[in-house]
Amino acid sequence: MIQIGGTRVVMEEQSVNERVKNFRSVPFGYNAEEAIAEAQRCIQCIHGPCEKLCPVHMDIKAMIREIVAGNFKKAFFIAKKDNAIPAITGRVCPQEEQCEGVCPFSLTCNGINIGKLEAFVADWAMNNGVKEGFHIEEKPEKVAVIGSGPAGISCAVDLRKYGYKVTMFEALHKAGGVLQYGIPAFRLPKDIVDYEISYLTEVGVEVKLNHIVGQNIMFNELRKKFGAVFIGTGAGAPQFLGIEGERLKGLYSANEFLFRTNLMKAYKFPEYDTPIVCGNTIGVIGAGNVAMDVARCAIRLGAKDVYILYRRTKKEAPARDEELQHAIEEKLKFIELVNPTRVLGNEDGWVTGIELLKMKLGEPDKSGRPRPIKIEGSEFTMKLDTVVEALGSKPNRLFLDQTPELETTRWGTFKVDENLMTNIEGVVAGGDAIRGNATVILALGDGRKAAESIHNYILRRRK
Amino acid sequence: MIHKIIDKKDLCPGNYLIEVEASNVAQRFQPGQFVIIRIDEKGERIPLTVADFNTQKGTITLIFQVVGKSTKQLGILNVGDVVLDCVGPLGNPSEIKKFGRVICVGGGTGIACIYPLIRALADTGNEVISVIGARTASLLILENEITALGSRTCVATDDGSKGHHGFVTDVLMNLLDEYRNSGGVDRVIAIGPPVMMKAVADITKPRQIKTIVSLNSVMLDGTGMCGSCRVFIDGEMKLACIDGPEFDAHKVNFEDLISRLEMFKEKESEAINYYSSKAGVKK
């Protein structure tokens, strides 16, 4: 029987007790029957607000129709048409703020579980060896893509489909950017990332790993050798509070903690070479998605007590609801309204604790959230073995320093026009490199728009 | 991309030289910079010193001392074997110009790091005096190569088996006294163990001689992403990978550097034990 509205088909997950001991995916994903049942809840409303709010405007309704009909192959092609990495976005998009959040059902019951349906069709295609057939009409122009994260992937794939020769430059030893080093495997399994990224070589993108623009290839050289350049260098540089004690052993940036754990697989040490030292009691400063990722990695690395130290309250935490919920289920402890003033250490130079100042909430600030106000003299200390600063990251200086000719904002992001063109014609930028800390799907949207912008630029130049 | 080892030499017990195909690095390398390599899929990213590079052949020469699991594994590789990843050049090149009289102090494997610098400084018309040292004569590397560069070379060994019996810093002190009345010394460059670099800085600071050191803090990505290589220069946090590796020795907080280098010590012995036991099983 077709169910109108009703409740979501439950997504089976690893039990809390089990999952805190491994880095495997928390949700199991829908099977075919479950996917069809969830898809049947969709009433195919005329306006399709889900599609309008999707940064890449996927044909969500059409994808769902094909799932209902059991036509998974067709559903996959529909998803893939607008989104180069549906298995990834299906898992990491903030759907509750986008497609699922505007689903008419979200008012009365849960919106259609669009993310998990998207992941289902992508996984189905992967498991059944179904690949999109495409024909590329080769064009003579060459385009360079700097960075192999979500923005770069989407831009490179679209540029290939326009027919351009694309060379992608990645500084690290693996392509994928934040998908590889940032997002932990229990949220985004790495075999899925590897599979989605193999699409790049499939469409004929030349991927050059271990190539740092500005170190072994100069930016000016790229501009000479290539008809256009896309900058998708992300926001990979960590921020530190600048408080006393940051020299101590046992203090990490979130980037370092996640880089070791995810990309270098420190959770498999000593089978894998890269170590991580994670104590029994760990404090994570910040309450965004990255902070939750760090906290949940720490639990899996064996930490007994994991604290989130946040200067506002849980209600204002920037992390996605799902991440926050998962973290709380995993026994993470939330300490609200505190601001770190110094990190404490012993004579051997190891972290032993943190000094925190109590805060209270004041009037809303520019972000609309209440401003945290210091309560003078309210300092107290907490014993900790490990401290991780998850304060958000900013664009990498290494690249910025090499490109003084490119205009930037005061946050170090590149200034672009409505077509994502920088102040230099033919140099286009997108993703976190222009947005600071944003999402995978916004980066994909930028990559797509950038490819179109480059295409138009090249056509103009031909005349 | 894989990188083939095309030459290998045992320099002295526990110290190796390998020449590796890495044209992307060789094309751009300048003295003072370094590379990060990863041996295989499960490997860690380790920063290494580039002692030489050949732009025509597209190769770089790496010199390393066996200190942990990865360098042990690298030492076992032979000509024809490959290294999975090699990225670089990383870091900023050394400032090479005519300073006048420059003393270059190299200790242990730091000698490998300072060797291309000595050559570049000599080529730029500086009067270079090299002071190199090791624990014992058999561990002293590149002595002939450095002497062959034609400048004055002084040797020190901890046990007195060659040259001065004692530390490179004793020799440095004598040289500074010797040159005091003949124009002095314009710059000192020291690369070696942090304690050695600190001792050099302590000698040159009261004498107000500009001194440069190259810092080897714990690195991961080498591109400014992680902050693990953070060092404190005049109280300010800097990243050795993208702000350095060279810094003004008189501003470096060596205590923090030395302390932070201990961060993964226990894990390193765990790794080497695991590797040795595994290798043992294979035999």
Side-chain angles (χ1 to χ4, degrees):
Chain A
M1 199 188 75
I2 295 177
Q3 195 185 15
I4 305 285
T7 48
R8 273 187 177 186
V9 174
V10 175
M11 170 57 60
E12 299 292 337
E13 292 179 348
Q14 281 198 73
S15 73
V16 173
N17 288 340
E18 195 52 42
R19 75 184 192 227
V20 295
K21 293 178 213 148
N22 66 58
F23 275 78
R24 294 196 299 273
S25 176
V26 170
F28 290 129
Y30 283 143
N31 63 29
E33 293 84 70
E34 289 167 336
I36 292 172
E38 179 63 18
Q40 282 173 338
R41 292 178 61 220
C42 174
I43 54 168
Q44 297 281 316
C45 54
I46 292 177
H47 303 298
C50 53
E51 297 177 354
K52 289 204 183 79
L53 210 61
C54 172
V56 297
H57 308 299
M58 285 175 65
D59 289 335
I60 296 169
K61 292 193 311 181
M63 176 186 81
I64 291 180
R65 273 200 305 277
E66 297 303 336
I67 297 175
V68 172
N71 242 333
F72 302 143
K73 189 172 175 175
K74 226 168 157 187
F76 168 67
F77 291 159
I78 292 168
K80 193 86 174 172
K81 174 170 65 72
D82 297 307
N83 180 341
I85 50 172
I88 294 173
T89 49
R91 288 173 166 87
V92 302
C93 260
Q95 286 101 359
E96 68 281 2
E97 293 167 17
Q98 298 169 4
C99 53
E100 295 174 17
V102 291
C103 175
F105 290 153
S106 67
L107 295 171
T108 50
C109 48
N110 284 321
I112 307 297
N113 200 341
I114 298 166
K116 296 296 191 290
L117 289 176
E118 180 191 356
F120 165 76
V121 293
D123 291 359
W124 179 88
M126 178 175 86
N127 297 330
N128 290 281
V130 171
K131 289 186 177 181
E132 191 196 21
F134 42 81
H135 170 74
I136 290 173
E137 262 177 55
E138 296 291 341
K139 295 191 173 72
E141 290 87 354
K142 296 191 290 180
V143 182
V145 171
I146 311 173
S148 68
I153 293 171
S154 132
C155 186
V157 166
D158 274 12
L159 285 168
R160 272 305 289 148
K161 289 185 177 170
Y162 283 120
Y164 300 111
K165 291 176 180 52
V166 182
T167 307
M168 180 181 258
F169 298 91
E170 166 56 48
L172 296 175
H173 59 262
K174 241 180 165 187
V178 72
L179 304 170
Q180 294 283 11
Y181 73 77
I183 306 175
F186 50 84
R187 282 218 286 139
L188 184 60
K190 296 304 156 212
D191 52 339
I192 286 178
V193 178
D194 290 342
Y195 181 81
E196 292 280 60
I197 282 169
S198 66
Y199 186 57
L200 285 173
T201 21
E202 230 170 88
V203 297
V205 174
E206 187 193 4
V207 183
K208 283 185 174 285
L209 301 174
N210 295 322
H211 276 70
I212 306 175
V213 176
Q215 293 286 106
N216 47 14
I217 329 136
M218 297 300 132
F219 182 64
N220 284 335
E221 234 177 292
L222 286 191
R223 287 185 53 205
K224 273 186 214 130
K225 281 190 186 158
F226 293 87
V229 179
F230 173 72
I231 303 172
T233 45
Q239 301 196 69
F240 289 91
L241 282 169
I243 56 175
E244 189 188 320
E246 287 178 330
R247 62 187 175 83
L248 293 165
K249 297 184 286 265
L251 181 134
Y252 300 90
S253 70
N255 265 9
E256 181 182 359
F257 197 89
L258 294 174
F259 196 104
R260 285 182 182 277
T261 313
N262 300 326
L263 181 66
M264 305 312 293
K265 295 194 165 51
Y267 64 94
K268 291 186 181 170
F269 177 87
E271 185 200 342
Y272 280 73
D273 291 345
T274 307
I276 191 160
V277 176
C278 178
N280 279 327
T281 314
I282 161 167
V284 183
I285 305 169
N289 288 323
V290 170
M292 298 308 140
D293 284 345
V294 170
R296 298 177 67 197
C297 281
I299 291 167
R300 284 159 176 79
L301 287 166
K304 301 274 182 297
D305 295 298
V306 178
Y307 298 97
I308 287 283
L309 310 172
Y310 186 43
R311 56 196 188 126
R312 293 188 172 93
T313 71
K314 212 180 285 174
K315 223 176 86 199
E316 290 84 29
R320 284 182 65 195
D321 292 345
E322 188 187 333
E323 303 315 322
L324 205 58
Q325 219 39 55
H326 273 140
I328 291 166
E329 284 166 20
E330 292 169 9
K331 304 281 187 293
L332 156 136
K333 298 173 189 80
F334 214 102
I335 300 188
E336 300 177 328
L337 296 167
V338 290
N339 199 32
T341 41
R342 63 196 171 108
V343 183
L344 312 169
N346 61 17
E347 63 277 17
D348 295 327
W350 282 94
V351 167
T352 56
I354 197 163
E355 184 186 82
L356 301 160
L357 184 70
K358 288 188 185 158
M359 311 291 279
K360 62 181 179 194
L361 293 182
E363 293 299 305
D365 62 12
K366 269 186 221 147
S367 72
R369 298 175 300 174
R371 187 192 304 274
I373 302 168
K374 288 175 186 168
I375 304 176
E376 295 301 335
S378 66
E379 288 91 346
F380 68 104
T381 61
M382 231 181 117
K383 277 191 181 167
L384 295 173
D385 307 315
T386 306
V387 172
V388 181
E389 298 192 32
L391 309 168
S393 46
K394 50 190 178 182
N396 199 327
R397 277 188 283 137
L398 181 60
F399 182 71
L400 288 174
D401 290 350
Q402 307 291 337
T403 54
E405 62 272 46
L406 286 171
E407 279 177 22
T408 53
T409 67
R410 64 195 169 100
W411 297 281
T413 52
F414 293 104
K415 266 190 196 164
V416 289
D417 67 11
E418 65 280 5
N419 297 315
L420 302 182
M421 195 73 82
T422 63
N423 61 308
I424 298 179
E425 256 225 308
V427 178
V428 177
D432 279 1
I434 62 165
R435 295 172 182 273
N437 295 268
T439 60
V440 171
I441 191 72
L442 286 171
L444 286 187
D446 285 352
R448 161 149 280 199
K449 196 169 168 189
E452 195 188 335
S453 181
I454 288 171
H455 175 59
N456 291 333
Y457 166 78
I458 290 176
L459 292 185
R460 275 203 308 278
R461 288 281 299 247
R462 273 192 194 166
K463 277 172 197 163
Chain B
M1 200 173 15
I2 52 170
H3 304 269
K4 205 168 168 188
I5 298 174
I6 60 162
D7 192 18
K8 182 185 181 184
K9 281 190 191 101
D10 292 12
L11 291 178
C12 63
N15 282 266
Y16 298 98
L17 171 155
I18 53 173
E19 190 177 350
V20 181
E21 287 176 349
S23 63
N24 56 324
V25 181
Q27 302 311 327
R28 293 285 176 191
F29 186 83
Q30 295 176 67
Q33 294 182 301
F34 62 97
V35 293
I36 283 184
I37 69 150
R38 196 172 69 119
I39 302 173
D40 57 29
E41 202 45 54
K42 293 181 179 177
E44 61 184 331
R45 296 171 65 95
I46 51 169
L48 286 180
T49 289
V50 178
D52 211 348
F53 57 101
N54 187 321
T55 318
Q56 266 110 47
K57 272 163 79 187
T59 61
I60 53 172
T61 301
L62 305 173
I63 289 184
F64 59 94
Q65 184 183 11
V66 174
V67 285
K69 186 258 166 181
S70 295
T71 39
K72 187 168 179 176
Q73 188 184 357
L74 191 60
I76 293 170
L77 297 184
N78 283 311
V79 172
D81 289 339
V82 295
V83 166
L84 187 56
D85 297 295
C86 177
V87 60
L90 294 165
N92 299 295
S94 309
E95 187 186 1
I96 304 286
K97 60 178 191 189
K98 193 163 178 190
F99 299 108
R101 185 181 285 147
V102 184
I103 300 184
C104 291
V105 185
T109 26
I111 300 172
C113 196
I114 211 163
Y115 168 61
L117 246 142
I118 296 173
R119 190 169 56 191
L121 286 167
D123 288 350
T124 325
N126 289 285
E127 180 194 346
V128 185
I129 301 105
S130 307
V131 182
I132 55 173
R135 264 190 294 125
T136 183
S138 63
L139 293 176
L140 194 71
I141 57 169
L142 299 176
E143 188 195 348
N144 295 337
E145 288 80 355
I146 289 172
T147 313
L149 293 174
S151 58
R152 182 174 172 189
T153 304
C154 311
V155 170
T157 50
D158 298 2
D159 63 358
S161 50
K162 191 162 206 178
H164 170 77
H165 185 171
F167 299 130
V168 283
T169 41
D170 307 333
V171 179
L172 173 68
M173 204 123 62
N174 294 338
L175 286 172
L176 294 178
D177 288 340
E178 183 188 325
Y179 287 117
R180 188 160 49 196
N181 299 322
S182 57
V185 171
D186 299 293
R187 182 174 278 233
V188 172
I189 300 167
I191 308 179
V195 277
M196 181 207 94
M197 294 191 285
K198 182 183 186 307
V200 169
D202 289 342
I203 292 168
T204 58
K205 195 172 184 179
R207 291 174 171 82
Q208 295 175 327
I209 302 167
K210 175 95 170 170
T211 302
I212 302 295
V213 285
S214 178
L215 305 185
N216 56 339
S217 49
V218 175
M219 277 185 199
L220 192 55
D221 63 281
T223 63
M225 274 182 66
C226 77
S228 79
C229 67
R230 61 186 181 274
V231 289
F232 295 84
I233 310 297
D234 242 359
E236 204 186 324
M237 188 192 292
K238 296 277 177 195
L239 303 180
C241 66
I242 59 170
D243 296 316
E246 293 184 2
F247 293 98
D248 181 337
H250 301 153
K251 294 180 176 170
V252 174
N253 186 324
F254 285 101
E255 286 78 13
D256 284 345
L257 174 73
I258 293 165
S259 167
R260 289 189 53 74
L261 282 168
E262 303 276 310
M263 175 128 174
F264 297 101
K265 269 277 150 67
E266 261 178 51
K267 293 281 178 185
E268 277 160 25
S269 23
E270 201 181 323
I272 203 150
N273 288 340
Y274 175 83
Y275 179 66
S276 310
S277 66
K278 223 178 62 177
V281 170
K282 268 187 201 160
K283 278 172 201 163

